[in-house]
Amino acid sequence: DIQMTQSPSSLSASIGDSVTITCRASQKVNDFLNWYHQKPGRAPKLLNDLTCNLQTGVPSRFSACGSGTDFSLTISSLRPDDFGTYYCQQGFSPPYTFGLGTRLDIK
Amino acid sequence: EVHLVESGGGLVQPGGSLRLSCAASGFNISTSRMTWVRQAPGKGLECVAKIKEDGSEKHYVDSVKGRFSISRDNAKKLVYLQMNSLGAGDTAMYFCATLDDLGTFDIWGQGTLVTVSS
């Protein structure tokens, strides 16, 4: 199985800050890398697929990139609604594994 | 509007069984691979079962093989997860989700909580 490693596991930031979360796959996943945002008690919400392709309705403050094994998600101008946990997930090879998540808290 | 609504969770004793249901609306379920993704308390996400559009292929994570069974009724727009021989390690929120051709879990339900405890 492909292992997905996210860092950091948690971080604190203030409204208006920019943050970057990284995700590393244990083997190449080409562009099949997705990011999700989950708020407590809610289902995950898909942010983007195919590494850089933002879903409709996701603000342009979110940007994702990467290739092969190394990927990142950057959120600029943080807003209160951005806090929660972010997960990366590879869609290249089943089982389609998730990272353990990065918890983003308000400082 | 597209919706998935799970039901059937609850408190069950170790060794017991539960059947989860997922009701779809607003889209054609018969063209979607369907999955069950679980999240143990305070933990990450794990796809435990998935089923092909026509039900002809099913796949399970090793930890549930032989105990869980996924099925679907496209006419009724329902997906099921039969869970047997439940243990404490199965305690989790169970989400129903669609899986597209890019390996993306794109539509999610709100989840149903399964607690295995005596």
mmCIF file of all heavy atoms in Angstrom, chain B residues 7 45 48 70 91:
data_model
loop_
_atom_site.group_PDB
_atom_site.id
_atom_site.type_symbol
_atom_site.label_atom_id
_atom_site.label_comp_id
_atom_site.label_asym_id
_atom_site.label_seq_id
_atom_site.Cartn_x
_atom_site.Cartn_y
_atom_site.Cartn_z
ATOM 1 N N SER B 7 -27.441 5.777 7.596
ATOM 2 C CA SER B 7 -28.229 5.408 8.764
ATOM 3 C C SER B 7 -27.832 4.007 9.205
ATOM 4 O O SER B 7 -27.124 3.298 8.477
ATOM 5 C CB SER B 7 -29.726 5.461 8.453
ATOM 6 O OG SER B 7 -30.044 4.569 7.404
ATOM 7 N N LEU B 45 -8.684 8.851 8.119
ATOM 8 C CA LEU B 45 -9.711 8.267 7.258
ATOM 9 C C LEU B 45 -9.214 6.980 6.613
ATOM 10 O O LEU B 45 -8.062 6.896 6.180
ATOM 11 C CB LEU B 45 -10.071 9.280 6.167
ATOM 12 C CG LEU B 45 -10.630 10.602 6.679
ATOM 13 C CD1 LEU B 45 -10.506 11.689 5.626
ATOM 14 C CD2 LEU B 45 -12.091 10.424 7.088
ATOM 15 N N VAL B 48 -12.850 1.334 3.869
ATOM 16 C CA VAL B 48 -12.929 -0.067 4.268
ATOM 17 C C VAL B 48 -13.567 -0.962 3.218
ATOM 18 O O VAL B 48 -13.321 -2.170 3.201
ATOM 19 C CB VAL B 48 -13.658 -0.253 5.616
ATOM 20 C CG1 VAL B 48 -12.898 0.432 6.735
ATOM 21 C CG2 VAL B 48 -15.089 0.263 5.545
ATOM 22 N N ILE B 70 -20.190 -5.310 1.479
ATOM 23 C CA ILE B 70 -20.824 -4.159 0.851
ATOM 24 C C ILE B 70 -21.743 -4.642 -0.261
ATOM 25 O O ILE B 70 -21.421 -5.615 -0.970
ATOM 26 C CB ILE B 70 -19.761 -3.160 0.312
ATOM 27 C CG1 ILE B 70 -20.392 -1.861 -0.163
ATOM 28 C CG2 ILE B 70 -18.906 -3.812 -0.773
ATOM 29 C CD1 ILE B 70 -19.372 -0.761 -0.495
ATOM 30 N N THR B 91 -15.071 0.654 16.150
ATOM 31 C CA THR B 91 -15.729 1.875 16.607
ATOM 32 C C THR B 91 -15.253 3.054 15.773
ATOM 33 O O THR B 91 -14.049 3.331 15.702
ATOM 34 C CB THR B 91 -15.429 2.129 18.086
ATOM 35 O OG1 THR B 91 -16.063 1.109 18.867
ATOM 36 C CG2 THR B 91 -15.945 3.491 18.521
#
